[in-house]
Amino acid sequence: MSRTQFHSGVTAAEAADAALAASGITSGMTVLVGGFGMAGMPVDLIDALIRHGADELTVVSNNAGNGDTGLAALLAAGRVRKVVCSFPRQHDSWVFDGLYRAGKVELEVVPQGTLAERMRAAGAGIGAFFCPTGVGTLLAEGKETRVIDGRDHVLETALRGDVALIKAHRSDGVGNLVYRKTARNFGPVMATAGAVTVVQVDEVVPTGALDPEAVVTPRIYVDHVVDLSTTTGQTTAPTTAPTTEEPQA
Amino acid sequence: MSRTQFHSGVTAAEAADAALAASGITSGMTVLVGGFGMAGMPVDLIDALIRHGADELTVVSNNAGNGDTGLAALLAAGRVRKVVCSFPRQHDSWVFDGLYRAGKVELEVVPQGTLAERMRAAGAGIGAFFCPTGVGTLLAEGKETRVIDGRDHVLETALRGDVALIKAHRSDGVGNLVYRKTARNFGPVMATAGAVTVVQVDEVVPTGALDPEAVVTPRIYVDHVVDLSTTTGQTTAPTTAPTTEEPQA
Amino acid sequence: MSTPSTRSTVEHLDRGPLSRDEMAAVVARDIPDGSFVNLGIGQPTSVAGHLRPEAGVVLHTENGMLGMGPEAHGDEVDPDLTNAGKVPVTEPPGAAYFHHADSFAMMRGGHLDVCVLGAFQVSASGDLANWHTGAPDAIPAVGGAMDLANGAKDVFVMMTLFAKDGSAKLVPTCTYPLTGVGCVSRVYTEVALFDVSGPEVVVLETWGTSVDDLAARLDVPLHRAG
Amino acid sequence: MSTPSTRSTVEHLDRGPLSRDEMAAVVARDIPDGSFVNLGIGQPTSVAGHLRPEAGVVLHTENGMLGMGPEAHGDEVDPDLTNAGKVPVTEPPGAAYFHHADSFAMMRGGHLDVCVLGAFQVSASGDLANWHTGAPDAIPAVGGAMDLANGAKDVFVMMTLFAKDGSAKLVPTCTYPLTGVGCVSRVYTEVALFDVSGPEVVVLETWGTSVDDLAARLDVPLHRAG
């Protein structure tokens, strides 16, 4: 029932707008946004989310926006009620900094690995887990702790999203994904933790062109694929041999 | 410090014996043994373990031996004190069946996914986790339970091994691993959960010949590689283009 | 439930009970197009042969593959490529492999739409018993049964309605050790299809018998749909 | 501790304090051959340039790579390939990529031998404070600091021994918010190398000063090795 839907258009914006509309995203939802800095950030999907208009969002992402584009633009547009992240404060996070100091956005700081593991737990049906990270610090205050095998652990709960917006390198015609280098970062985990997952890809390759041993995100986690190769001039030629089978778009 | 060591020999048995000796395995240890049925079972390493002589072992594996080889032979040799597995009873598990009914081996039955997740937790530094599988059944009796998000969960603890014995398809010259099809099964998880991991591979390829995007088990988890291509006539030619760099064996 | 049971109960009185093959076909009929499905070992495996290729149903096997192909024959057989029943299968385009922790995360995380399992007993409230007879000398073996029972959005059970000794297998309360609590959506038998996902047991369809006849033979109150 | 501190304390009194580059070289000297190492953002990154290629040290970056190469320049720069400081790096043969949950599992699971971090303060018992000044208007940002502090077998801290206001950064008890409790093995400063892994603080080496001079300037009792 969650067969992957493909979106393409005359412009990247049209394709992304169609995917966001189909994702069912509404105000007040929790949105997982991929990327570590700009690597892996789904900028086209964030721009579409700004145009979409949903507000009062809780955004889960490693950072809280860089410069004035992407997440920073979503924050500047006043759409975000709360940010859950590991590292909001950066040299170019002036948009978040201003909103936070003005009391206009809430912040939950989570250690980076715990942030990833909490989403992994959500995708894997694990309700909560005992983790040594953060024990004895401000970030564990008020949390249940327990000694396991002689070591202190703190209980952390699963963190799920209503929608995940991620960037991958390639999709095949059925929604299997591969990533590029360290741009992989949070994408595969968020894809499993979002009730609906929307991905922007550099290109869609024919089904059969991805090595089944090398698929990182299996199609079951992918609901909407925005194919940027149909709209931009940035894509490179496929390096995998195309088959005669066309993407089932 | 855990730079991967490579073992090869005139016979497969010599190479495997050297790796088992180097692994530091001793009587009374917990050994994780890969495989789902015979797919992915490290038969050469198990045979070396039998020759090695360590006994009173706790063996963690999905099944409890098939026929008279592999795990079944280890059981028949009287080396196993306890089996932790999901599915001991099979049409050809006569060795285990006989020992169990004679009271000569203990059994801990764990749901298959919980077995994998407990080892994943051990490798990932998670002390314990709340899991919905098994709630309300015999296998959750005596375990702590908790309602999370309206659903019953049972607390499961990390399961680690002193030594993991697994089978992979290829290693590169520094110990990065790839597997073949569904023979991948428990190998990658056990590699992370074993204090020392020994792997038998069909062949060792030059470093650089494996796609970094497709490595399944990074070298950090691999302590000893037994290269069967040096000893048997069963291997096929490498399908990845070899580089001029030789394996650092 | 993925397939709402709003249709009225249908009694097929002009024929006998379903054959095993017909049961598999009925299960296949009720799997929505595009579903991600896990077919358990044994009789549920036979459902695969009744799925229309154009329905786009994607099979998961818990030993580590999504997009599993049909059983392998002859030269196709590869000992490294099997289903959960350890039967050799094939790799169609669009398949993906993953390790056991990822495979069961996919299941436990609720990403599969349907899983089809056999059973010793199912209770009126959807409890499942399919892993252990409870016999004192039985060697317990659970495999992935509990993970499957708790993981899929819908759990379909395929079983005969009566055991060889004549006792009913749809029961008020399971007497065999449980696999999962309240996890079964539907029970497919040779004589009737039951919806056990709600507060009462609803008969959706019968073959070669009537709802009234079944009600007389079972200890659970039966209701009609629609 | 991977490198036992059984050697006797060495006082280099014939020279001044270490330069930043010399500090990085001393840290590199103490990383055992073949170690898997994570170098934190900032000054610790500079240790990479002092690792002998033949030592076979393998670098991990928490954004998802093992076997990370040196900083990229010119045509090598690829925005999809960076270190944790978001600086472009390179991909040598033998590298592997993985996602964030797998990357931090590698760290939290205790598989890394050494991680090198900066610090605001380290306590005599090895507590680390390096993520938050505690200033009321500071925006908290932790990143991977707590994961790194708790994950590696050995945590090496690189810092100046005294803050700009002259206060010592090796303290009886941290006054800044903690990153981790009892997690630091060694503290590398421009004037001394301290072992804080045991019950007492041991000075392993000094540069341009003596243990006695340091003892007079610090509020923590210092011990000599050997």
Side-chain angles (χ1 to χ4, degrees):
Chain A
M1 296 159 354
S2 33
R3 178 185 283 190
T4 309
Q5 293 178 41
F6 288 77
H7 303 268
S8 55
V10 175
T11 67
E14 286 175 356
D17 286 347
L20 263 287
S23 75
I25 195 167
T26 58
S27 295
M29 279 188 169
T30 295
V31 187
L32 315 178
V33 180
F36 180 80
M38 294 306 286
M41 186 180 284
V43 173
D44 295 84
L45 298 180
I46 297 169
D47 288 346
L49 178 56
I50 294 170
R51 290 190 297 273
H52 176 281
D55 62 8
E56 293 291 316
L57 299 171
T58 294
V59 169
V60 181
S61 195
N62 191 61
N63 303 110
N66 304 75
D68 293 298
T69 59
L71 264 188
L74 184 71
L75 283 157
R79 305 296 170 70
V80 180
R81 186 182 68 75
K82 181 179 179 181
V83 169
V84 181
C85 75
S86 86
F87 208 79
R89 187 192 62 225
Q90 298 176 91
H91 69 93
D92 58 353
S93 60
W94 50 77
V95 173
F96 173 81
D97 297 0
L99 290 168
Y100 179 76
R101 294 193 197 282
K104 290 184 176 168
V105 62
E106 287 178 59
L107 171 65
E108 178 181 347
V109 173
V110 181
Q112 195 169 333
T114 302
L115 186 68
E117 188 70 10
R118 288 179 61 194
M119 289 190 277
R120 193 258 171 200
I126 301 297
F129 56 90
F130 283 104
C131 169
T133 309
V135 166
T137 75
L138 287 177
L139 299 188
E141 279 185 5
K143 292 181 179 172
E144 179 176 341
T145 59
R146 184 177 300 204
V147 178
I148 300 173
D149 282 340
R151 190 165 188 201
D152 288 320
H153 287 70
V154 59
L155 186 66
E156 298 283 356
T157 55
L159 177 59
R160 50 180 54 79
D162 297 300
V163 177
L165 305 181
I166 65 169
K167 177 182 176 182
H169 181 41
R170 294 193 176 107
S171 168
D172 67 9
V174 295
N176 292 304
L177 303 181
V178 294
Y179 300 80
R180 265 198 91 237
K181 306 186 184 286
T182 58
R184 185 184 301 195
N185 58 66
F186 282 94
V189 178
M190 288 181 170
T192 71
V196 175
T197 293
V198 186
V199 54
Q200 66 175 67
V201 297
D202 294 331
E203 61 176 343
V204 177
V205 298
T207 302
L210 297 182
D211 179 358
E213 304 278 6
V215 167
V216 175
T217 295
R219 59 191 288 189
I220 196 169
Y221 298 115
V222 179
D223 299 285
H224 299 280
V225 173
V226 174
D227 180 3
L228 296 183
S229 72
T230 60
T231 57
T232 74
Q234 302 169 5
T235 55
T236 54
T239 56
T240 43
T243 70
T244 54
E245 186 180 3
E246 284 301 304
Q248 302 168 13
Chain B
M1 302 169 346
S2 31
R3 180 186 281 189
T4 309
Q5 293 179 41
F6 289 78
H7 303 267
S8 55
V10 175
T11 67
E14 287 176 355
D17 286 347
L20 264 286
S23 76
I25 194 166
T26 60
S27 295
M29 280 191 170
T30 295
V31 187
L32 315 178
V33 180
F36 180 79
M38 294 306 287
M41 185 180 284
V43 172
D44 296 84
L45 298 180
I46 297 168
D47 287 347
L49 178 56
I50 294 170
R51 290 189 298 272
H52 176 281
D55 62 7
E56 293 290 315
L57 299 171
T58 294
V59 169
V60 181
S61 196
N62 191 61
N63 304 110
N66 304 75
D68 294 297
T69 60
L71 264 188
L74 184 72
L75 283 157
R79 307 293 170 73
V80 181
R81 186 183 68 76
K82 181 179 178 181
V83 170
V84 180
C85 75
S86 85
F87 208 78
R89 188 191 62 226
Q90 299 174 90
H91 69 92
D92 58 354
S93 59
W94 51 76
V95 173
F96 173 82
D97 297 359
L99 290 167
Y100 179 76
R101 293 191 197 285
K104 291 185 176 166
V105 63
E106 286 178 58
L107 172 64
E108 177 182 348
V109 173
V110 181
Q112 196 169 332
T114 302
L115 186 68
E117 188 69 11
R118 288 178 62 193
M119 289 188 279
R120 192 259 172 201
I126 301 297
F129 56 90
F130 283 104
C131 169
T133 309
V135 165
T137 76
L138 288 176
L139 298 188
E141 279 184 4
K143 292 183 180 172
E144 178 177 341
T145 59
R146 185 177 300 204
V147 178
I148 300 173
D149 282 340
R151 190 166 189 198
D152 288 322
H153 287 70
V154 58
L155 186 66
E156 299 284 357
T157 55
L159 177 59
R160 53 181 51 81
D162 297 300
V163 177
L165 306 180
I166 65 170
K167 178 182 175 182
H169 181 42
R170 293 193 176 108
S171 168
D172 66 10
V174 295
N176 291 304
L177 303 181
V178 295
Y179 300 81
R180 266 198 90 238
K181 305 183 184 287
T182 58
R184 184 185 303 196
N185 57 67
F186 282 95
V189 178
M190 288 180 170
T192 71
V196 176
T197 293
V198 185
V199 55
Q200 65 174 70
V201 298
D202 294 330
E203 61 176 343
V204 176
V205 298
T207 302
L210 297 183
D211 179 358
E213 303 278 8
V215 168
V216 175
T217 295
R219 60 193 285 189
I220 195 170
Y221 298 115
V222 180
D223 299 285
H224 299 279
V225 173
V226 174
D227 180 2
L228 295 184
S229 72
T230 60
T231 58
T232 73
Q234 303 169 6
T235 55
T236 53
T239 57
T240 43
T243 70
T244 53
E245 186 179 4
E246 284 300 306
Q248 303 168 11
Chain C
M1 281 289 293
S2 54
T3 50
S5 53
T6 49
R7 63 188 184 192
S8 295
T9 299
V10 178
E11 294 175 309
H12 301 283
L13 301 175
D14 56 343
R15 56 156 295 159
L18 299 175
S19 67
R20 292 170 67 92
D21 201 51
E22 287 170 329
M23 278 176 68
V26 171
V27 173
R29 174 200 72 186
D30 288 357
I31 293 175
D33 286 5
S35 294
F36 293 98
V37 175
N38 186 297
L39 300 174
I41 298 172
Q43 199 181 353
T45 304
S46 66
V47 171
H50 295 276
L51 294 167
R52 293 168 298 111
E54 65 273 23
V57 170
V58 182
L59 296 181
H60 170 262
T61 182
E62 61 263 37
N63 50 321
M65 184 184 199
L66 188 69
M68 178 178 69
E71 197 172 321
H73 297 286
D75 289 348
E76 296 174 325
V77 170
D78 180 338
D80 284 345
L81 178 51
T82 75
N83 64 19
K86 291 152 190 161
V87 175
V89 293
T90 51
E91 174 196 295
Y97 298 105
F98 28 79
H99 62 57
H100 247 69
D102 279 350
S103 184
F104 283 82
M106 191 179 284
M107 195 182 298
R108 195 189 309 104
H111 304 284
L112 294 178
D113 297 302
V114 177
C115 122
V116 185
L117 295 172
F120 298 148
Q121 290 178 324
V122 176
S123 83
S125 61
D127 293 353
L128 172 66
N130 78 345
W131 75 286
H132 195 318
T133 62
D137 67 337
I139 298 177
V142 68
M146 290 185 182
D147 310 270
L148 287 161
N150 284 281
K153 295 190 187 89
D154 277 302
V155 173
F156 290 177
V157 161
M158 284 179 82
M159 66 180 192
T160 57
L161 186 53
F162 299 96
K164 285 174 184 163
D165 68 2
S167 61
K169 294 161 72 175
L170 179 63
V171 293
T173 306
C174 293
T175 55
Y176 288 114
L178 291 187
T179 306
V181 177
C183 57
V184 179
S185 305
R186 291 180 169 198
V187 182
Y188 291 82
T189 74
E190 76 284 17
V191 289
L193 164 55
F194 304 91
D195 182 335
V196 297
S197 65
E200 44 194 34
V201 176
V202 177
V203 184
L204 298 177
E205 209 163 347
T206 69
W207 294 272
T209 188
S210 67
V211 175
D212 291 342
D213 283 348
L214 285 171
R217 299 181 67 191
L218 295 174
D219 286 337
V220 299
L222 300 182
H223 296 262
R224 286 170 184 271
Chain D
M1 281 291 293
S2 54
T3 48
S5 52
T6 49
R7 62 189 182 190
S8 295
T9 299
V10 178
E11 294 176 308
H12 302 283
L13 300 175
D14 55 344
R15 55 156 295 159
L18 299 176
S19 67
R20 291 169 68 92
D21 200 51
E22 288 170 330
M23 278 177 68
V26 172
V27 173
R29 174 200 74 186
D30 288 357
I31 293 175
D33 286 4
S35 294
F36 293 98
V37 175
N38 185 299
L39 300 175
I41 297 173
Q43 198 180 353
T45 303
S46 65
V47 171
H50 295 276
L51 295 167
R52 292 169 297 111
E54 63 274 23
V57 169
V58 182
L59 297 181
H60 170 262
T61 182
E62 62 264 37
N63 50 320
M65 184 183 198
L66 188 69
M68 179 177 69
E71 196 171 324
H73 297 285
D75 289 349
E76 296 174 326
V77 170
D78 180 337
D80 285 345
L81 178 51
T82 75
N83 66 17
K86 289 154 190 161
V87 174
V89 294
T90 50
E91 175 196 294
Y97 298 105
F98 28 79
H99 61 60
H100 246 71
D102 279 350
S103 183
F104 281 83
M106 191 179 285
M107 194 182 298
R108 195 193 306 106
H111 305 284
L112 294 178
D113 297 302
V114 177
C115 125
V116 185
L117 294 173
F120 298 146
Q121 290 179 326
V122 176
S123 83
S125 60
D127 294 351
L128 172 66
N130 78 344
W131 76 286
H132 195 320
T133 61
D137 67 335
I139 297 176
V142 69
M146 290 185 183
D147 311 270
L148 287 160
N150 283 280
K153 296 190 186 89
D154 275 303
V155 173
F156 290 177
V157 161
M158 284 179 83
M159 65 179 192
T160 57
L161 186 53
F162 299 95
K164 286 175 184 163
D165 67 2
S167 62
K169 294 162 72 175
L170 180 63
V171 293
T173 305
C174 293
T175 55
Y176 288 114
L178 290 187
T179 307
V181 177
C183 56
V184 179
S185 306
R186 292 181 170 198
V187 181
Y188 291 82
T189 74
E190 76 284 16
V191 289
L193 163 55
F194 304 92
D195 182 334
V196 296
S197 65
E200 43 195 34
V201 176
V202 177
V203 183
L204 298 177
E205 206 162 349
T206 68
W207 293 274
T209 187
S210 67
V211 176
D212 291 342
D213 284 347
L214 285 172
R217 298 181 67 193
L218 295 173
D219 287 337
V220 299
L222 299 182
H223 298 262
R224 286 169 184 272

